[in-house]
Amino acid sequence: MTIKAAAGSAIGNRYRANFDAHRLNLDPLVAVVADGMGDGPGSAMAGRTTVDIMAAVQPTVAGIRNAVMAAHTEVGEFGRKLGGLAGCTLTALMEGQDGFLVAQAGDSRLYRLRAGLLEILTVDHTMAWLGAVNGWFAFDSPQAAAARYQLTRYIGHPGAPAPDIMHVDPLPGDVFLLCTDGVAEQVPYHRILELLGQEPEVAVRDLLAHAEAAGGNDNATAIVVQVSSTP
């Protein structure tokens, strides 16, 4: 199995700085995105801390759990000292001994393109997702728009919730996209599907360009991972 990957991030027009964070390592693969909550020092610290901790994780279920707890502890302590909000989302894809492991907390996302079908493999930990899935309101309603900012899980949460952890068997031809909501909320599904058919570097560039063209209303970060057979 051969893996090619690329990563990129853009500030957009809403914030004075980029409060997303990401890390991409190859051999073995470790891809991580984090979206800081708000635009203060707690947001910036949470994202940087979380991607640094996850980049050094042992690619096992226990290793991921321990790393997430360590991130909760560091971010939570910073928030208490700050006297304000410190938190971020987390989506990670890493290469283990028998496939890929995924870790998820918050509303950043992991997509997989396989045989022409683009699926979201993660769940948004928001009241908007719960409301839309359970029929409380339409996904494109004003209620859903407000509820998307109500995260039920994130790094730095006072309850230190465990992440979702999932095993994924990669197949040759698979393309994975990790992204913050600056991409997911601004680039439509069918456009993402189209763009992921390109080389990873081009796909990342075009995803960020489309997020900017849609208004650039948030920081936007994307990592594209392409799996192929070993020559």
Side-chain angles (χ1 to χ4, degrees):
M1 185 173 65
T2 300
I3 295 173
K4 294 195 295 185
S9 191
I11 294 176
N13 301 315
R14 179 178 180 183
Y15 297 113
R16 67 186 186 280
N18 197 336
F19 297 95
D20 285 357
H22 68 280
R23 182 68 67 86
L24 174 61
N25 299 335
L26 294 172
D27 196 26
L29 172 71
V30 179
V32 189
V33 299
D35 183 353
M37 299 171 65
D39 59 354
S43 172
M45 179 273 178
R48 289 195 306 266
T49 298
T50 298
V51 298
D52 287 348
I53 289 175
M54 296 305 297
V57 71
Q58 290 292 321
T60 64
V61 172
I64 291 172
R65 286 175 177 159
N66 292 337
V68 169
M69 286 306 300
H72 275 308
T73 298
E74 288 196 32
V75 173
E77 288 178 354
F78 186 86
R80 287 188 288 275
K81 292 177 182 177
L82 182 68
L85 177 64
C88 68
T89 68
L90 164 67
T91 303
L93 178 70
M94 57 195 66
E95 190 175 355
Q97 290 186 342
D98 59 348
F100 290 167
L101 287 172
V102 179
Q104 171 76 4
D107 65 347
S108 297
R109 289 181 177 175
L110 174 67
Y111 292 81
R112 181 184 65 195
L113 174 60
R114 173 178 287 178
L117 175 64
L118 180 65
E119 297 178 277
I120 303 174
L121 298 186
T122 50
V123 170
D124 290 1
H125 296 140
T126 65
M127 293 305 296
W129 186 280
L130 286 175
V133 168
N134 291 290
W136 303 338
F137 39 70
F139 199 77
D140 58 353
S141 67
Q143 297 96 322
R148 63 180 289 268
Y149 296 104
Q150 301 172 22
L151 270 66
T152 58
R153 284 191 248 177
Y154 58 88
I155 303 300
H157 188 291
D164 290 341
I165 301 176
M166 174 172 53
H167 179 270
V168 176
D169 288 317
L171 296 178
D174 283 352
V175 182
F176 296 89
L177 166 65
L178 298 87
C179 65
T180 59
D181 61 352
V183 172
E185 294 290 333
Q186 296 187 104
V187 185
Y189 170 93
H190 286 96
R191 183 65 67 193
I192 294 175
L193 172 62
E194 174 188 341
L195 297 178
L196 291 183
Q198 307 174 103
E199 288 295 306
E201 295 85 356
V202 179
V204 168
R205 181 198 67 195
D206 288 354
L207 285 164
L208 297 181
H210 276 79
E212 182 73 17
N217 294 319
D218 201 350
N219 301 149
T221 299
I223 300 177
V224 173
V225 177
Q226 186 181 82
V227 180
S228 60
S229 301
T230 301

